[in-house]
Coordinates of all heavy atoms in Angstrom, one line a residue:
Q289 N 0.8 -1.2 0.0 CA 0.1 0.0 0.0 C 0.9 1.2 0.0 O 0.5 2.3 -0.7 CB -1.0 0.0 1.2 CG -2.0 1.1 1.1 CD -3.0 1.0 2.3 OE1 -2.7 0.4 3.2 NE2 -4.0 1.7 2.2
A290 N 1.9 1.2 0.7 CA 2.9 2.3 0.6 C 3.5 2.7 -0.7 O 3.6 3.7 -1.2 CB 4.1 2.0 1.6
L291 N 3.7 1.6 -1.5 CA 4.1 1.8 -2.9 C 3.1 2.4 -3.8 O 3.5 3.3 -4.5 CB 4.5 0.3 -3.5 CG 5.1 0.4 -4.9 CD1 6.4 1.2 -4.9 CD2 5.4 -1.0 -5.3
R292 N 1.9 2.0 -3.5 CA 0.7 2.6 -4.3 C 0.5 4.1 -4.0 O 0.5 4.9 -4.9 CB -0.5 2.0 -3.8 CG -1.8 2.6 -4.7 CD -3.0 2.1 -4.3 NE -3.3 0.7 -4.8 CZ -4.3 -0.1 -4.4 NH1 -5.1 0.3 -3.5 NH2 -4.4 -1.4 -5.0
Q293 N 0.8 4.5 -2.7 CA 0.7 5.9 -2.3 C 1.9 6.8 -2.9 O 1.6 7.8 -3.6 CB 0.7 6.1 -0.8 CG -0.5 5.7 -0.1 CD -0.4 5.8 1.4 OE1 0.8 5.9 1.9 NE2 -1.5 6.1 2.1
I294 N 3.1 6.1 -3.0 CA 4.2 6.9 -3.6 C 3.9 7.1 -5.1 O 4.2 8.1 -5.6 CB 5.5 6.1 -3.3 CG1 5.8 6.1 -1.8 CG2 6.6 6.6 -4.1 CD1 7.0 5.2 -1.5
S295 N 3.6 5.9 -5.8 CA 3.3 6.0 -7.2 C 2.3 7.1 -7.5 O 2.4 7.8 -8.5 CB 3.0 4.7 -7.7 OG 1.8 4.2 -7.3
Q296 N 1.1 7.1 -6.8 CA 0.1 7.9 -7.0 C 0.5 9.4 -6.7 O 0.2 10.4 -7.5 CB -1.2 7.7 -6.1 CG -2.0 6.5 -6.6 CD -3.2 6.1 -5.8 OE1 -3.2 6.7 -4.6 NE2 -3.9 5.4 -6.1
R297 N 1.2 9.6 -5.8 CA 1.8 11.0 -5.4 C 2.7 11.4 -6.5 O 2.6 12.7 -6.9 CB 2.5 10.9 -4.1 CG 2.8 12.3 -3.6 CD 3.6 12.3 -2.3 NE 2.9 11.4 -1.2 CZ 3.6 10.7 -0.5 NH1 4.9 10.7 -0.3 NH2 2.8 9.9 0.4
T298 N 3.6 10.5 -7.0 CA 4.5 10.9 -8.1 C 3.8 11.3 -9.3 O 4.0 12.3 -10.0 CB 5.4 9.8 -8.4 OG1 6.1 9.3 -7.2 CG2 6.5 10.1 -9.3
I299 N 2.7 10.5 -9.7 CA 2.0 10.9 -11.0 C 1.1 12.0 -10.8 O 1.1 12.8 -11.7 CB 1.1 9.6 -11.3 CG1 2.0 8.4 -11.7 CG2 0.1 10.0 -12.5 CD1 1.2 7.2 -11.8
S300 N 0.4 12.2 -9.6 CA -0.5 13.4 -9.6 C 0.3 14.7 -9.2 O -0.2 15.8 -9.6 CB -1.4 13.2 -8.3 OG -0.6 13.1 -7.0
T301 N 1.6 14.7 -8.8 CA 2.2 16.0 -8.5 C 3.2 16.2 -9.6 O 3.8 17.3 -9.6 CB 3.1 15.9 -7.2 OG1 3.9 14.8 -7.3 CG2 2.1 15.8 -6.0
A302 N 3.2 15.4 -10.7 CA 4.2 15.8 -11.8 C 3.8 17.0 -12.4 O 2.4 17.1 -12.9 CB 4.1 14.6 -12.7
S303 N 4.6 18.0 -12.7 CA 4.2 19.2 -13.4 C 4.1 18.9 -14.7 O 4.9 18.3 -15.4 CB 5.3 20.2 -13.1 OG 6.5 19.9 -13.6
R304 N 2.9 19.5 -15.4 CA 2.7 19.4 -16.8 C 3.4 20.6 -17.4 O 3.2 21.8 -17.0 CB 1.3 19.3 -17.1 CG 0.8 18.0 -16.6 CD -0.7 17.8 -17.1 NE -1.1 16.4 -16.7 CZ -2.4 16.1 -16.7 NH1 -3.3 17.0 -17.2 NH2 -2.8 15.0 -16.4
R305 N 4.1 20.4 -18.6 CA 4.7 21.6 -19.2 C 3.7 22.3 -20.1 O 2.9 21.6 -20.8 CB 5.8 21.1 -20.1 CG 6.7 22.1 -20.8 CD 7.8 21.5 -21.5 NE 8.8 22.6 -21.8 CZ 9.8 22.4 -22.5 NH1 10.0 21.1 -23.0 NH2 10.6 23.3 -22.7
Q306 N 3.6 23.7 -19.9 CA 2.6 24.4 -20.6 C 3.3 24.8 -22.0 O 4.4 25.4 -22.0 CB 2.3 25.6 -19.8 CG 1.4 25.3 -18.6 CD 0.1 24.7 -18.9 OE1 -0.6 25.1 -19.8 NE2 -0.2 23.7 -18.1
Y307 N 2.6 24.4 -23.1 CA 3.0 24.9 -24.3 C 2.5 26.1 -24.7 O 1.2 26.4 -24.7 CB 2.7 23.8 -25.4 CG 3.5 22.5 -25.2 CD1 3.0 21.5 -24.6 CD2 4.9 22.5 -25.5 CE1 3.6 20.3 -24.4 CE2 5.6 21.3 -25.3 CZ 4.9 20.1 -24.8 OH 5.6 19.1 -24.5
V308 N 3.3 27.1 -25.3 CA 2.9 28.4 -25.7 C 2.5 28.2 -27.2 O 3.2 27.7 -27.9 CB 4.1 29.4 -25.6 CG1 3.7 30.9 -26.1 CG2 4.6 29.5 -24.2
N309 N 1.3 28.9 -27.5 CA 0.8 28.8 -28.9 C 1.5 29.8 -29.6 O 1.3 31.0 -29.5 CB -0.7 29.0 -28.8 CG -1.3 28.6 -30.3 OD1 -0.6 28.5 -31.2 ND2 -2.6 28.9 -30.4
R310 N 2.4 29.5 -30.5 CA 3.1 30.4 -31.3 C 2.8 30.4 -32.8 O 3.6 30.9 -33.7 CB 4.6 30.1 -31.3 CG 5.2 30.2 -29.9 CD 6.6 30.2 -29.8 NE 7.0 30.4 -28.5 CZ 8.2 29.9 -27.9 NH1 9.0 29.3 -28.7 NH2 8.4 30.1 -26.7
V311 N 1.6 30.1 -33.2 CA 1.1 29.9 -34.5 C 1.1 31.3 -35.1 O 1.5 31.5 -36.2 CB -0.3 29.1 -34.5 CG1 -0.8 29.3 -36.0 CG2 -0.1 27.7 -34.2
S312 N 0.6 32.2 -34.4 CA 0.4 33.6 -35.0 C 1.7 34.1 -35.3 O 1.8 34.9 -36.3 CB -0.5 34.5 -34.0 OG 0.2 34.6 -32.8
E313 N 2.7 33.9 -34.4 CA 4.1 34.5 -34.6 C 4.8 33.8 -35.9 O 5.3 34.5 -36.6 CB 5.0 34.1 -33.4 CG 4.7 34.8 -32.2 CD 5.5 34.3 -30.9 OE1 6.6 33.7 -31.2 OE2 5.1 34.4 -29.9
N314 N 4.5 32.6 -36.0 CA 5.1 31.8 -37.3 C 4.3 32.3 -38.5 O 4.9 32.4 -39.6 CB 5.0 30.4 -37.1 CG 6.0 29.9 -36.1 OD1 7.0 30.4 -35.9 ND2 5.7 28.7 -35.4
Q315 N 3.0 32.6 -38.4 CA 2.4 33.1 -39.5 C 2.9 34.4 -39.9 O 3.0 34.7 -41.1 CB 0.8 33.2 -39.2 CG 0.1 31.9 -39.3 CD -1.4 32.2 -38.9 OE1 -1.8 33.1 -38.2 NE2 -2.2 31.1 -39.3
K316 N 3.1 35.4 -39.0 CA 3.7 36.7 -39.4 C 5.1 36.5 -40.0 O 5.4 37.2 -41.0 CB 3.7 37.5 -38.1 CG 2.4 38.0 -37.6 CD 2.6 38.8 -36.3 CE 1.3 39.2 -35.6 NZ 1.5 39.7 -34.3
L317 N 5.8 35.5 -39.5 CA 7.2 35.4 -40.0 C 7.2 34.8 -41.4 O 7.9 35.4 -42.3 CB 7.9 34.4 -39.2 CG 9.3 33.8 -39.6 CD1 10.3 35.1 -39.5 CD2 9.8 32.7 -38.9
F318 N 6.3 33.9 -41.7 CA 6.3 33.2 -43.0 C 5.5 34.1 -44.0 O 5.7 33.9 -45.2 CB 5.8 31.8 -42.9 CG 6.7 30.9 -42.3 CD1 6.7 30.5 -41.0 CD2 7.8 30.4 -43.1 CE1 7.6 29.6 -40.5 CE2 8.7 29.5 -42.7 CZ 8.6 29.1 -41.2
Q319 N 4.7 35.0 -43.6 CA 3.8 35.8 -44.6 C 4.6 37.2 -44.8 O 4.1 37.8 -45.7 CB 2.4 36.0 -44.0 CG 1.5 34.7 -44.0 CD 0.2 34.9 -43.4 OE1 -0.1 36.0 -42.9 NE2 -0.5 33.8 -43.5
E320 N 5.6 37.4 -44.1 CA 6.3 38.7 -44.3 C 6.9 38.7 -45.7 O 7.6 37.7 -46.1 CB 7.3 38.8 -43.2 CG 8.1 40.1 -43.3 CD 9.2 40.1 -42.2 OE1 9.1 39.3 -41.1 OE2 10.3 40.8 -42.3
D321 N 6.7 39.9 -46.4 CA 7.3 39.9 -47.7 C 8.7 40.4 -47.6 O 8.9 41.7 -47.7 CB 6.5 41.0 -48.6 CG 6.8 40.9 -50.0 OD1 7.6 40.0 -50.4 OD2 6.4 41.8 -50.7
N322 N 9.7 39.6 -47.5 CA 11.1 40.0 -47.4 C 11.9 39.6 -48.5 O 13.2 39.6 -48.4 CB 11.7 39.6 -46.0 CG 11.6 38.2 -45.7 OD1 11.2 37.5 -46.6 ND2 12.0 37.8 -44.5
G323 N 11.3 39.0 -49.6 CA 12.1 38.5 -50.7 C 12.7 37.2 -50.5 O 13.4 36.6 -51.5
L324 N 12.6 36.5 -49.4 CA 13.1 35.2 -49.2 C 12.1 34.1 -49.6 O 10.9 34.3 -49.3 CB 13.4 35.0 -47.7 CG 14.7 35.7 -47.2 CD1 14.9 35.4 -45.7 CD2 16.0 35.2 -47.9
P325 N 12.6 33.0 -50.2 CA 11.6 31.9 -50.4 C 11.3 31.2 -49.1 O 11.9 31.4 -48.1 CB 12.5 30.9 -51.2 CG 13.9 31.3 -51.0 CD 13.9 32.7 -50.6
V326 N 10.1 30.6 -49.1 CA 9.5 30.1 -47.8 C 10.4 29.1 -47.2 O 10.5 29.0 -45.9 CB 8.2 29.6 -48.0 CG1 8.2 28.3 -48.8 CG2 7.4 29.4 -46.9
H327 N 11.2 28.4 -47.9 CA 12.1 27.4 -47.2 C 13.3 28.0 -46.6 O 14.1 27.3 -46.0 CB 12.4 26.3 -48.2 CG 13.3 26.7 -49.5 ND1 12.5 27.2 -50.6 CD2 14.5 26.8 -49.8 CE1 13.4 27.6 -51.4 NE2 14.6 27.4 -50.9
L328 N 13.6 29.2 -46.7 CA 14.7 29.9 -46.1 C 14.2 30.9 -45.0 O 15.0 31.6 -44.5 CB 15.6 30.6 -47.2 CG 16.3 29.7 -48.0 CD1 17.1 30.5 -49.1 CD2 17.1 28.7 -47.4
K329 N 13.0 31.1 -44.7 CA 12.5 32.1 -43.9 C 12.7 31.8 -42.4 O 12.6 32.6 -41.5 CB 11.0 32.4 -44.1 CG 10.8 33.2 -45.4 CD 9.3 33.8 -45.4 CE 9.2 34.6 -46.7 NZ 7.9 35.4 -46.5
G330 N 13.1 30.5 -42.1 CA 13.4 30.1 -40.7 C 14.6 30.6 -40.2 O 14.8 30.5 -39.0
G331 N 15.5 31.1 -41.0 CA 16.8 31.6 -40.4 C 18.1 30.8 -40.9 O 18.0 30.1 -41.8
G332 N 19.0 30.7 -40.0 CA 20.3 30.1 -40.2 C 20.2 28.6 -40.3 O 20.8 27.9 -41.1
K333 N 19.3 28.0 -39.6 CA 19.2 26.5 -39.7 C 18.6 26.1 -40.9 O 19.0 25.2 -41.5 CB 18.3 26.1 -38.5 CG 18.8 26.1 -37.1 CD 17.9 25.5 -36.1 CE 18.4 25.6 -34.7 NZ 17.4 25.2 -33.7
D334 N 17.6 26.8 -41.5 CA 17.0 26.6 -42.7 C 18.0 26.6 -43.9 O 18.1 25.8 -44.8 CB 15.8 27.4 -43.0 CG 14.6 27.0 -42.3 OD1 14.6 25.9 -41.7 OD2 13.6 27.9 -42.3
S335 N 18.9 27.7 -43.7 CA 19.8 28.0 -44.7 C 20.9 26.8 -44.8 O 21.4 26.3 -45.9 CB 20.6 29.3 -44.5 OG 21.6 29.6 -45.4
L336 N 21.4 26.3 -43.6 CA 22.3 25.3 -43.5 C 21.8 24.0 -43.9 O 22.5 23.3 -44.7 CB 22.8 25.2 -42.1 CG 23.8 24.0 -41.7 CD1 25.1 24.5 -42.3 CD2 24.0 23.9 -40.2
L337 N 20.5 23.7 -43.6 CA 19.8 22.5 -44.2 C 19.7 22.6 -45.7 O 20.0 21.6 -46.3 CB 18.5 22.4 -43.5 CG 17.7 21.1 -43.8 CD1 18.5 19.8 -43.2 CD2 16.4 21.1 -43.2
Y338 N 19.4 23.7 -46.2 CA 19.2 23.8 -47.7 C 20.5 23.6 -48.3 O 20.6 22.9 -49.4 CB 18.6 25.3 -47.9 CG 18.6 25.5 -49.5 CD1 17.7 25.0 -50.3 CD2 19.5 26.4 -50.0 CE1 17.5 25.3 -51.7 CE2 19.4 26.7 -51.4 CZ 18.5 26.1 -52.2 OH 18.4 26.4 -53.6
R339 N 21.5 24.3 -47.9 CA 22.9 24.2 -48.5 C 23.4 22.8 -48.4 O 24.1 22.2 -49.3 CB 23.9 25.3 -47.9 CG 23.7 26.6 -48.3 CD 24.5 27.5 -47.5 NE 24.1 28.9 -47.6 CZ 24.7 29.9 -48.4 NH1 25.6 29.5 -49.1 NH2 24.1 31.0 -48.4
T340 N 23.3 22.1 -47.3 CA 23.6 20.7 -47.1 C 23.0 19.8 -48.1 O 23.6 18.9 -48.7 CB 23.5 20.3 -45.6 OG1 24.2 21.2 -44.8 CG2 24.0 18.8 -45.4
T341 N 21.6 20.0 -48.3 CA 20.9 19.1 -49.2 C 21.3 19.4 -50.6 O 21.5 18.5 -51.4 CB 19.3 19.4 -49.0 OG1 19.1 19.2 -47.6 CG2 18.5 18.6 -49.8
A342 N 21.5 20.6 -50.9 CA 21.9 21.0 -52.3 C 23.3 20.4 -52.6 O 23.6 19.8 -53.6 CB 21.9 22.4 -52.5
G343 N 24.2 20.4 -51.6 CA 25.6 19.9 -51.7 C 25.6 18.5 -52.0 O 26.2 17.8 -52.9
L344 N 24.8 17.8 -51.1 CA 24.8 16.4 -51.2 C 24.1 15.9 -52.5 O 24.5 14.9 -53.1 CB 23.9 15.8 -50.0 CG 24.6 15.7 -48.7 CD1 23.7 15.3 -47.6 CD2 25.8 14.8 -48.7
T345 N 23.1 16.6 -52.9 CA 22.5 16.4 -54.3 C 23.5 16.5 -55.4 O 23.5 15.6 -56.3 CB 21.3 17.4 -54.5 OG1 20.4 17.1 -53.4 CG2 20.6 16.9 -55.8
V346 N 24.2 17.6 -55.5 CA 25.2 17.7 -56.6 C 26.3 16.7 -56.4 O 26.7 16.0 -57.5 CB 25.8 19.2 -56.3 CG1 27.1 19.3 -57.4 CG2 24.8 20.3 -56.7
F347 N 26.8 16.3 -55.3 CA 27.7 15.3 -55.0 C 27.2 13.9 -55.6 O 27.9 13.3 -56.3 CB 28.2 15.2 -53.5 CG 29.1 14.1 -53.3 CD1 30.5 14.2 -53.8 CD2 28.7 13.0 -52.7 CE1 31.3 13.1 -53.5 CE2 29.5 11.8 -52.4 CZ 30.8 11.9 -52.9
G348 N 26.0 13.6 -55.2 CA 25.4 12.3 -55.6 C 25.2 12.3 -57.0 O 25.4 11.2 -57.7
T349 N 24.8 13.4 -57.6 CA 24.6 13.4 -59.1 C 26.0 13.1 -59.8 O 26.1 12.4 -60.7 CB 24.0 14.7 -59.6 OG1 22.8 14.9 -59.0 CG2 23.7 14.7 -61.0
M350 N 26.9 14.0 -59.4 CA 28.3 13.7 -60.0 C 28.9 12.3 -59.8 O 29.4 11.7 -60.7 CB 29.3 14.8 -59.4 CG 28.9 16.1 -59.7 SD 29.0 16.3 -61.6 CE 29.2 18.1 -61.6
Y351 N 28.6 11.7 -58.6 CA 29.1 10.4 -58.3 C 28.4 9.4 -59.2 O 29.0 8.4 -59.8 CB 28.8 10.1 -56.8 CG 29.4 8.8 -56.2 CD1 30.6 8.7 -56.0 CD2 28.5 7.8 -55.9 CE1 31.3 7.7 -55.4 CE2 29.1 6.6 -55.3 CZ 30.5 6.5 -55.1 OH 31.1 5.4 -54.5
A352 N 27.1 9.5 -59.4 CA 26.3 8.6 -60.2 C 26.8 8.6 -61.7 O 27.0 7.7 -62.4 CB 24.8 8.9 -60.1
L353 N 26.9 10.0 -62.2 CA 27.5 10.2 -63.6 C 28.8 9.6 -63.7 O 29.1 9.0 -64.9 CB 27.5 11.7 -63.9 CG 26.0 12.2 -64.0 CD1 26.1 13.8 -64.3 CD2 25.3 11.6 -65.2
Y354 N 29.7 9.8 -62.8 CA 31.0 9.1 -63.0 C 31.0 7.7 -63.1 O 31.7 7.2 -63.8 CB 31.9 9.6 -61.7 CG 33.2 8.9 -61.6 CD1 34.2 9.1 -62.4 CD2 33.3 7.7 -60.7 CE1 35.5 8.4 -62.3 CE2 34.5 7.0 -60.6 CZ 35.6 7.4 -61.4 OH 36.8 6.7 -61.3
F355 N 30.1 7.0 -62.3 CA 30.0 5.6 -62.4 C 29.3 5.0 -63.6 O 29.5 4.0 -64.1 CB 29.4 4.9 -61.1 CG 30.5 4.7 -60.1 CD1 30.7 5.6 -59.0 CD2 31.3 3.6 -60.2 CE1 31.6 5.4 -58.1 CE2 32.4 3.4 -59.1 CZ 32.5 4.4 -58.2
L356 N 28.4 5.9 -64.2 CA 27.7 5.5 -65.4 C 28.8 5.7 -66.6 O 28.9 4.8 -67.4 CB 26.6 6.6 -65.8 CG 25.3 6.2 -65.1 CD1 24.3 7.4 -65.3 CD2 24.7 5.0 -65.8
L357 N 29.6 6.7 -66.5 CA 30.8 6.9 -67.4 C 31.8 5.7 -67.3 O 32.1 5.1 -68.3 CB 31.4 8.1 -67.2 CG 32.6 8.4 -68.2 CD1 32.1 8.7 -69.6 CD2 33.3 9.6 -67.7
L358 N 32.1 5.4 -66.2 CA 33.0 4.2 -65.9 C 32.4 2.9 -66.3 O 33.2 2.1 -67.0 CB 33.3 4.1 -64.4 CG 34.5 3.4 -63.9 CD1 35.8 4.1 -64.4 CD2 34.6 3.2 -62.5
S359 N 31.2 2.7 -66.1 CA 30.6 1.4 -66.5 C 30.4 1.3 -68.0 O 30.1 0.2 -68.6 CB 29.4 1.1 -65.7 OG 28.4 2.1 -66.0
S360 N 30.3 2.5 -68.7 CA 30.0 2.5 -70.0 C 31.3 2.2 -71.0 O 31.1 1.9 -72.1 CB 29.3 3.8 -70.5 OG 30.4 4.8 -70.5
M361 N 32.5 2.3 -70.3 CA 33.7 2.1 -71.1 C 33.9 0.6 -71.1 O 33.8 -0.2 -70.1 CB 34.8 2.8 -70.3 CG 34.8 4.3 -70.1 SD 35.0 4.9 -71.7 CE 34.7 6.6 -71.4
P362 N 34.5 0.2 -72.3 CA 34.8 -1.3 -72.3 C 36.0 -1.6 -71.4 O 36.9 -0.9 -71.2 CB 35.2 -1.5 -73.8 CG 35.4 -0.3 -74.3 CD 34.7 0.8 -73.6
K363 N 35.9 -2.9 -70.9 CA 37.0 -3.3 -70.0 C 38.2 -3.7 -70.9 O 38.1 -4.2 -72.0 CB 36.6 -4.6 -69.3 CG 35.4 -4.2 -68.3 CD 35.5 -5.0 -67.1 CE 34.5 -4.6 -66.1 NZ 34.8 -4.7 -64.8
K364 N 39.4 -3.3 -70.3 CA 40.7 -3.7 -71.1 C 40.9 -5.1 -70.9 O 40.9 -5.7 -69.6 CB 41.8 -2.9 -70.6 CG 41.7 -1.3 -70.8 CD 42.8 -0.6 -70.2 CE 42.6 0.9 -70.4 NZ 43.6 1.7 -69.9
P365 N 41.3 -5.9 -71.9 CA 41.8 -7.3 -71.8 C 43.0 -7.4 -71.0 O 44.0 -6.6 -71.5 CB 41.7 -7.9 -73.0 CG 41.9 -6.7 -74.0 CD 41.3 -5.5 -73.4
N366 N 43.3 -8.4 -70.2 CA 44.6 -8.5 -69.6 C 45.5 -9.5 -70.3 O 45.1 -10.5 -70.7 CB 44.4 -8.9 -68.1 CG 43.8 -7.8 -67.3 OD1 44.1 -6.7 -67.6 ND2 43.1 -8.1 -66.2

């Protein structure tokens, strides 16, 4: 019974985190006409993510084209 009281006390006194509704702040940020595309309006993190994705895409495309070129060449007989 002591264990039950401890567990009930722990559950009932646990503080619940209050979440702040920031939808209106985000709407103002994303609807602001500042010349940026929507995928970059989030700031530095968005810019870093965009550049990383673009870099990986270019690298992957070049890598795939290199191996297509390599596989299209006839093998040299030994």
Side-chain angles (χ1 to χ4, degrees):
Q289 188 174 15
L291 183 60
R292 181 186 284 170
Q293 284 180 337
I294 292 171
S295 66
Q296 285 178 346
R297 189 179 313 143
T298 307
I299 292 171
S300 65
T301 60
S303 63
R304 292 188 179 169
R305 190 172 192 185
Q306 295 293 323
Y307 290 102
V308 179
N309 187 359
R310 295 189 178 156
V311 172
S312 61
E313 293 173 21
N314 286 335
Q315 283 177 339
K316 287 176 188 172
L317 173 72
F318 285 101
Q319 290 177 356
E320 182 181 337
D321 187 19
N322 56 4
L324 287 175
V326 72
H327 58 275
L328 294 177
K329 286 192 176 190
K333 286 182 186 177
D334 283 351
S335 179
L336 179 67
L337 184 63
Y338 174 75
R339 290 173 192 257
T340 303
T341 304
L344 286 172
T345 303
V346 169
F347 174 75
T349 303
M350 294 300 203
Y351 191 71
L353 289 175
Y354 170 74
F355 274 100
L356 275 171
L357 180 70
L358 197 67
S359 63
S360 69
M361 298 291 172
K363 297 215 176 205
K364 295 179 183 176
N366 287 338

